[in-house]
Tab-separated table of all heavy atoms in Angstrom:
chain	number	residue	atom	x	y	z
A	643	CYS	N	11.613	3.363	21.803
A	643	CYS	CA	12.454	2.457	21.026
A	643	CYS	C	13.825	2.252	21.691
A	643	CYS	O	14.344	1.150	21.733
A	643	CYS	CB	12.607	3.055	19.615
A	643	CYS	SG	11.219	2.945	18.593
A	644	SER	N	14.386	3.333	22.208
A	644	SER	CA	15.715	3.259	22.783
A	644	SER	C	15.655	2.550	24.179
A	644	SER	O	16.440	1.614	24.404
A	644	SER	CB	16.287	4.673	23.029
A	644	SER	OG	17.476	4.637	23.697
A	645	ARG	N	14.773	2.986	25.038
A	645	ARG	CA	14.681	2.379	26.349
A	645	ARG	C	14.378	0.885	26.347
A	645	ARG	O	15.015	0.159	27.078
A	645	ARG	CB	13.519	3.105	27.151
A	645	ARG	CG	13.256	2.476	28.549
A	645	ARG	CD	14.390	2.636	29.517
A	645	ARG	NE	14.148	2.049	30.782
A	645	ARG	CZ	14.690	0.864	31.215
A	645	ARG	NH1	15.516	0.205	30.416
A	645	ARG	NH2	14.366	0.406	32.423
A	646	LEU	N	13.523	0.450	25.445
A	646	LEU	CA	13.075	-0.936	25.471
A	646	LEU	C	13.870	-1.762	24.417
A	646	LEU	O	13.600	-2.975	24.214
A	646	LEU	CB	11.612	-0.995	25.180
A	646	LEU	CG	10.709	-0.436	26.216
A	646	LEU	CD1	9.268	-0.534	25.856
A	646	LEU	CD2	10.962	-1.083	27.602
A	647	ALA	N	14.883	-1.161	23.808
A	647	ALA	CA	15.791	-1.871	22.871
A	647	ALA	C	14.961	-2.642	21.852
A	647	ALA	O	15.210	-3.872	21.567
A	647	ALA	CB	16.690	-2.829	23.661
A	648	LEU	N	13.978	-1.941	21.239
A	648	LEU	CA	13.179	-2.592	20.251
A	648	LEU	C	14.082	-2.945	18.990
A	648	LEU	O	15.026	-2.321	18.723
A	648	LEU	CB	12.074	-1.702	19.744
A	648	LEU	CG	10.999	-1.251	20.814
A	648	LEU	CD1	9.840	-0.521	20.118
A	648	LEU	CD2	10.471	-2.441	21.605
A	649	THR	N	13.679	-3.954	18.293
A	649	THR	CA	14.422	-4.361	17.072
A	649	THR	C	14.274	-3.292	16.021
A	649	THR	O	13.417	-2.459	16.113
A	649	THR	CB	13.890	-5.708	16.579
A	649	THR	OG1	12.564	-5.555	16.063
A	649	THR	CG2	13.877	-6.812	17.652
A	650	ARG	N	15.091	-3.416	15.036
A	650	ARG	CA	15.053	-2.415	13.977
A	650	ARG	C	13.676	-2.368	13.268
A	650	ARG	O	13.131	-1.326	13.025
A	650	ARG	CB	16.126	-2.702	12.867
A	650	ARG	CG	16.157	-1.692	11.759
A	650	ARG	CD	17.366	-1.910	10.883
A	650	ARG	NE	17.388	-0.888	9.803
A	650	ARG	CZ	18.345	-0.854	8.903
A	650	ARG	NH1	19.416	-1.633	8.930
A	650	ARG	NH2	18.317	0.115	7.937
A	651	GLY	N	13.144	-3.586	12.957
A	651	GLY	CA	11.811	-3.645	12.335
A	651	GLY	C	10.724	-3.036	13.223
A	651	GLY	O	9.834	-2.321	12.785
A	652	GLN	N	10.835	-3.348	14.522
A	652	GLN	CA	9.830	-2.746	15.455
A	652	GLN	C	9.957	-1.239	15.588
A	652	GLN	O	8.965	-0.554	15.585
A	652	GLN	CB	10.023	-3.425	16.833
A	652	GLN	CG	9.630	-4.849	16.859
A	652	GLN	CD	10.129	-5.600	18.108
A	652	GLN	OE1	10.831	-5.043	18.968
A	652	GLN	NE2	9.786	-6.887	18.258
A	653	CYS	N	11.183	-0.732	15.619
A	653	CYS	CA	11.439	0.701	15.677
A	653	CYS	C	10.899	1.404	14.383
A	653	CYS	O	10.352	2.485	14.435
A	653	CYS	CB	12.910	1.080	15.882
A	653	CYS	SG	13.464	0.772	17.529
A	654	ASP	N	11.123	0.717	13.233
A	654	ASP	CA	10.606	1.307	11.970
A	654	ASP	C	9.096	1.474	12.033
A	654	ASP	O	8.534	2.472	11.667
A	654	ASP	CB	11.030	0.451	10.765
A	654	ASP	CG	12.544	0.599	10.472
A	654	ASP	OD1	13.124	1.507	10.963
A	654	ASP	OD2	13.012	-0.325	9.723
A	655	ALA	N	8.449	0.392	12.552
A	655	ALA	CA	6.967	0.428	12.577
A	655	ALA	C	6.463	1.430	13.609
A	655	ALA	O	5.557	2.228	13.305
A	655	ALA	CB	6.436	-0.998	12.919
A	656	VAL	N	7.057	1.421	14.823
A	656	VAL	CA	6.630	2.396	15.807
A	656	VAL	C	7.016	3.799	15.455
A	656	VAL	O	6.240	4.686	15.660
A	656	VAL	CB	7.237	2.002	17.190
A	656	VAL	CG1	6.981	3.059	18.245
A	656	VAL	CG2	6.696	0.684	17.676
A	657	GLY	N	8.195	3.939	14.821
A	657	GLY	CA	8.636	5.299	14.416
A	657	GLY	C	7.740	5.932	13.339
A	657	GLY	O	7.750	7.143	13.130
A	658	ALA	N	6.953	5.093	12.635
A	658	ALA	CA	6.064	5.516	11.585
A	658	ALA	C	4.772	6.133	12.167
A	658	ALA	O	3.930	6.614	11.392
A	658	ALA	CB	5.753	4.421	10.583
A	659	LEU	N	4.608	6.076	13.494
A	659	LEU	CA	3.372	6.482	14.055
A	659	LEU	C	2.894	7.913	13.725
A	659	LEU	O	1.669	8.037	13.381
A	659	LEU	CB	3.421	6.357	15.637
A	659	LEU	CG	2.980	5.002	16.140
A	659	LEU	CD1	3.320	4.818	17.666
A	659	LEU	CD2	1.465	4.809	15.948
A	660	PRO	N	3.739	8.939	13.803
A	660	PRO	CA	3.221	10.298	13.426
A	660	PRO	C	2.664	10.312	11.968
A	660	PRO	O	1.564	10.838	11.699
A	660	PRO	CB	4.425	11.155	13.529
A	660	PRO	CG	5.289	10.449	14.546
A	660	PRO	CD	5.094	9.011	14.278
A	661	VAL	N	3.352	9.624	11.027
A	661	VAL	CA	2.857	9.630	9.628
A	661	VAL	C	1.617	8.721	9.558
A	661	VAL	O	0.619	9.050	8.869
A	661	VAL	CB	3.936	9.007	8.715
A	661	VAL	CG1	3.400	8.836	7.255
A	661	VAL	CG2	5.176	9.910	8.715
A	662	LEU	N	1.583	7.705	10.333
A	662	LEU	CA	0.437	6.753	10.315
A	662	LEU	C	-0.804	7.415	10.842
A	662	LEU	O	-1.934	7.224	10.298
A	662	LEU	CB	0.798	5.512	11.183
A	662	LEU	CG	0.000	4.291	11.016
A	662	LEU	CD1	0.204	3.704	9.665
A	662	LEU	CD2	0.345	3.243	12.077
A	663	ARG	N	-0.635	8.248	11.871
A	663	ARG	CA	-1.812	8.889	12.417
A	663	ARG	C	-2.388	9.951	11.440
A	663	ARG	O	-3.583	10.134	11.326
A	663	ARG	CB	-1.515	9.550	13.774
A	663	ARG	CG	-1.315	8.469	14.871
A	663	ARG	CD	-1.200	9.042	16.240
A	663	ARG	NE	0.078	9.657	16.492
A	663	ARG	CZ	0.955	9.295	17.508
A	663	ARG	NH1	0.595	8.276	18.284
A	663	ARG	NH2	2.113	9.927	17.651
A	664	ASN	N	-1.522	10.627	10.712
A	664	ASN	CA	-1.965	11.532	9.704
A	664	ASN	C	-2.649	10.749	8.551
A	664	ASN	O	-3.660	11.174	7.950
A	664	ASN	CB	-0.769	12.332	9.059
A	664	ASN	CG	-0.286	13.389	10.029
A	664	ASN	OD1	-1.074	13.934	10.830
A	664	ASN	ND2	0.945	13.723	9.944
A	665	ALA	N	-2.097	9.582	8.235
A	665	ALA	CA	-2.705	8.742	7.156
A	665	ALA	C	-4.168	8.321	7.637
A	665	ALA	O	-5.057	8.293	6.782
A	665	ALA	CB	-1.877	7.461	6.919
A	666	ALA	N	-4.315	8.033	8.899
A	666	ALA	CA	-5.674	7.639	9.398
A	666	ALA	C	-6.630	8.750	9.174
A	666	ALA	O	-7.840	8.496	8.786
A	666	ALA	CB	-5.562	7.271	10.830
A	667	LYS	N	-6.216	10.022	9.328
A	667	LYS	CA	-7.111	11.139	9.128
A	667	LYS	C	-7.483	11.245	7.617
A	667	LYS	O	-8.665	11.546	7.286
A	667	LYS	CB	-6.441	12.429	9.611
A	667	LYS	CG	-6.195	12.495	11.121
A	667	LYS	CD	-5.453	13.751	11.478
A	667	LYS	CE	-5.153	13.786	12.979
A	667	LYS	NZ	-4.308	14.950	13.372
A	668	LYS	N	-6.515	11.100	6.725
A	668	LYS	CA	-6.773	11.133	5.314
A	668	LYS	C	-7.724	10.070	4.909
A	668	LYS	O	-8.606	10.296	3.982
A	668	LYS	CB	-5.495	11.086	4.522
A	668	LYS	CG	-4.520	12.192	4.679
A	668	LYS	CD	-3.201	12.019	3.824
A	668	LYS	CE	-2.243	13.155	4.051
A	668	LYS	NZ	-0.963	12.867	3.292
A	669	LEU	N	-7.570	8.884	5.411
A	669	LEU	CA	-8.381	7.766	4.992
A	669	LEU	C	-9.763	7.722	5.690
A	669	LEU	O	-10.540	6.767	5.454
A	669	LEU	CB	-7.623	6.434	5.238
A	669	LEU	CG	-6.277	6.258	4.490
A	669	LEU	CD1	-5.656	4.956	4.864
A	669	LEU	CD2	-6.471	6.362	3.016
A	670	ALA	N	-10.028	8.735	6.530
A	670	ALA	CA	-11.325	8.711	7.151
A	670	ALA	C	-12.456	9.052	6.119
A	670	ALA	O	-13.656	8.876	6.381
A	670	ALA	CB	-11.359	9.813	8.285
A	671	ARG	N	-12.041	9.525	4.959
A	671	ARG	CA	-13.051	9.710	3.896
A	671	ARG	C	-12.728	8.707	2.736
A	671	ARG	O	-11.606	8.217	2.679
A	671	ARG	CB	-12.926	11.133	3.300
A	671	ARG	CG	-11.596	11.423	2.694
A	671	ARG	CD	-11.538	12.787	2.004
A	671	ARG	NE	-10.172	13.125	1.516
A	671	ARG	CZ	-9.772	12.655	0.324
A	671	ARG	NH1	-10.522	11.885	-0.425
A	671	ARG	NH2	-8.556	12.975	-0.071
A	672	ASP	N	-13.737	8.435	1.979
A	672	ASP	CA	-13.496	7.523	0.834
A	672	ASP	C	-12.500	8.119	-0.163
A	672	ASP	O	-12.687	9.243	-0.536
A	672	ASP	CB	-14.829	7.182	0.122
A	672	ASP	CG	-15.590	6.130	0.782
A	672	ASP	OD1	-14.944	5.027	1.106
A	672	ASP	OD2	-16.777	6.282	1.046
A	673	CYS	N	-11.488	7.395	-0.473
A	673	CYS	CA	-10.413	7.872	-1.391
A	673	CYS	C	-10.393	6.920	-2.584
A	673	CYS	O	-10.799	5.808	-2.566
A	673	CYS	CB	-9.061	7.811	-0.664
A	673	CYS	SG	-8.949	8.843	0.815
A	674	ARG	N	-9.850	7.495	-3.714
A	674	ARG	CA	-9.562	6.660	-4.827
A	674	ARG	C	-8.498	5.640	-4.425
A	674	ARG	O	-7.628	5.941	-3.605
A	674	ARG	CB	-9.049	7.514	-6.049
A	674	ARG	CG	-10.055	8.507	-6.556
A	674	ARG	CD	-9.617	9.029	-7.943
A	674	ARG	NE	-8.229	9.458	-7.933
A	674	ARG	CZ	-7.776	10.687	-7.566
A	674	ARG	NH1	-8.676	11.590	-7.095
A	674	ARG	NH2	-6.500	10.994	-7.520
A	675	PRO	N	-8.500	4.462	-5.002
A	675	PRO	CA	-7.489	3.435	-4.638
A	675	PRO	C	-6.071	3.980	-4.845
A	675	PRO	O	-5.190	3.697	-4.054
A	675	PRO	CB	-7.831	2.320	-5.604
A	675	PRO	CG	-9.232	2.445	-5.877
A	675	PRO	CD	-9.550	3.890	-5.876
A	676	SER	N	-5.850	4.808	-5.849
A	676	SER	CA	-4.460	5.334	-6.057
A	676	SER	C	-4.099	6.282	-4.954
A	676	SER	O	-2.943	6.382	-4.561
A	676	SER	CB	-4.364	6.054	-7.437
A	676	SER	OG	-5.230	7.114	-7.484
A	677	GLU	N	-5.093	6.960	-4.404
A	677	GLU	CA	-4.852	7.845	-3.234
A	677	GLU	C	-4.462	7.021	-2.021
A	677	GLU	O	-3.634	7.410	-1.178
A	677	GLU	CB	-6.036	8.731	-2.917
A	677	GLU	CG	-6.334	9.809	-3.959
A	677	GLU	CD	-7.574	10.636	-3.485
A	677	GLU	OE1	-8.683	10.114	-3.512
A	677	GLU	OE2	-7.331	11.811	-3.156
A	678	VAL	N	-5.135	5.893	-1.799
A	678	VAL	CA	-4.871	5.031	-0.664
A	678	VAL	C	-3.419	4.529	-0.762
A	678	VAL	O	-2.730	4.558	0.271
A	678	VAL	CB	-5.891	3.836	-0.651
A	678	VAL	CG1	-5.471	2.841	0.419
A	678	VAL	CG2	-7.290	4.338	-0.463
A	679	VAL	N	-3.057	4.088	-1.944
A	679	VAL	CA	-1.689	3.609	-2.148
A	679	VAL	C	-0.730	4.752	-1.932
A	679	VAL	O	0.310	4.566	-1.332
A	679	VAL	CB	-1.548	3.000	-3.571
A	679	VAL	CG1	-0.088	2.703	-3.857
A	679	VAL	CG2	-2.389	1.730	-3.716
A	680	GLY	N	-0.980	5.902	-2.451
A	680	GLY	CA	-0.066	7.028	-2.298
A	680	GLY	C	0.118	7.425	-0.808
A	680	GLY	O	1.165	7.815	-0.372
A	681	THR	N	-0.969	7.213	-0.013
A	681	THR	CA	-0.929	7.579	1.365
A	681	THR	C	-0.152	6.529	2.212
A	681	THR	O	0.611	6.870	3.126
A	681	THR	CB	-2.351	7.696	1.905
A	681	THR	OG1	-3.040	8.738	1.209
A	681	THR	CG2	-2.346	8.026	3.449
A	682	LEU	N	-0.296	5.239	1.852
A	682	LEU	CA	0.272	4.186	2.716
A	682	LEU	C	1.470	3.589	2.123
A	682	LEU	O	2.217	2.893	2.910
A	682	LEU	CB	-0.788	3.071	2.835
A	682	LEU	CG	-2.119	3.470	3.550
A	682	LEU	CD1	-3.086	2.334	3.610
A	682	LEU	CD2	-1.787	4.001	4.990
A	683	SER	N	1.821	3.797	0.904
A	683	SER	CA	3.040	3.191	0.291
A	683	SER	C	4.307	3.715	1.011
A	683	SER	O	4.388	4.959	1.292
A	683	SER	CB	3.048	3.577	-1.171
A	683	SER	OG	4.202	2.983	-1.771
A	684	GLY	N	5.154	2.846	1.274
A	684	GLY	CA	6.406	3.202	1.969
A	684	GLY	C	6.358	3.013	3.481
A	684	GLY	O	7.375	2.975	4.188
A	685	LEU	N	5.141	2.911	4.045
A	685	LEU	CA	4.978	2.648	5.506
A	685	LEU	C	5.207	1.128	5.775
A	685	LEU	O	4.794	0.311	4.934
A	685	LEU	CB	3.560	3.047	6.006
A	685	LEU	CG	3.328	4.489	6.030
A	685	LEU	CD1	1.821	4.786	6.352
A	685	LEU	CD2	4.176	5.167	7.118
A	686	PRO	N	5.827	0.820	6.862
A	686	PRO	CA	5.959	-0.643	7.206
A	686	PRO	C	4.622	-1.357	7.256
A	686	PRO	O	3.581	-0.777	7.723
A	686	PRO	CB	6.583	-0.628	8.602
A	686	PRO	CG	7.308	0.679	8.710
A	686	PRO	CD	6.417	1.634	7.913
A	687	LEU	N	4.549	-2.545	6.701
A	687	LEU	CA	3.304	-3.181	6.568
A	687	LEU	C	2.695	-3.492	7.927
A	687	LEU	O	1.477	-3.448	8.164
A	687	LEU	CB	3.484	-4.550	5.826
A	687	LEU	CG	2.228	-5.198	5.227
A	687	LEU	CD1	1.534	-4.254	4.255
A	687	LEU	CD2	2.589	-6.497	4.506
């Protein structure tokens, strides 16, 4: 993010990668819709 001077929105999305990769593991099984929302809510779209 720093070296390539990414925009704030781009940095927010790229910076979410550690959380996103954990979310991918949680969603590897079928979840209740409320669990899906709880896992992904707050992450950049």
Side-chain angles (χ1 to χ4, degrees):
C643 289
S644 175
R645 172 69 181 105
L646 297 179
L648 299 189
T649 67
R650 182 172 180 177
Q652 291 166 357
C653 283
D654 288 345
V656 172
L659 268 170
V661 177
L662 198 67
R663 289 189 285 240
N664 285 332
K667 294 176 184 176
K668 292 179 182 178
L669 298 179
R671 61 174 178 82
D672 276 313
C673 300
R674 296 193 313 275
S676 60
E677 290 181 292
V678 175
V679 171
T681 300
L682 298 177
S683 183
L685 289 171
L687 199 57

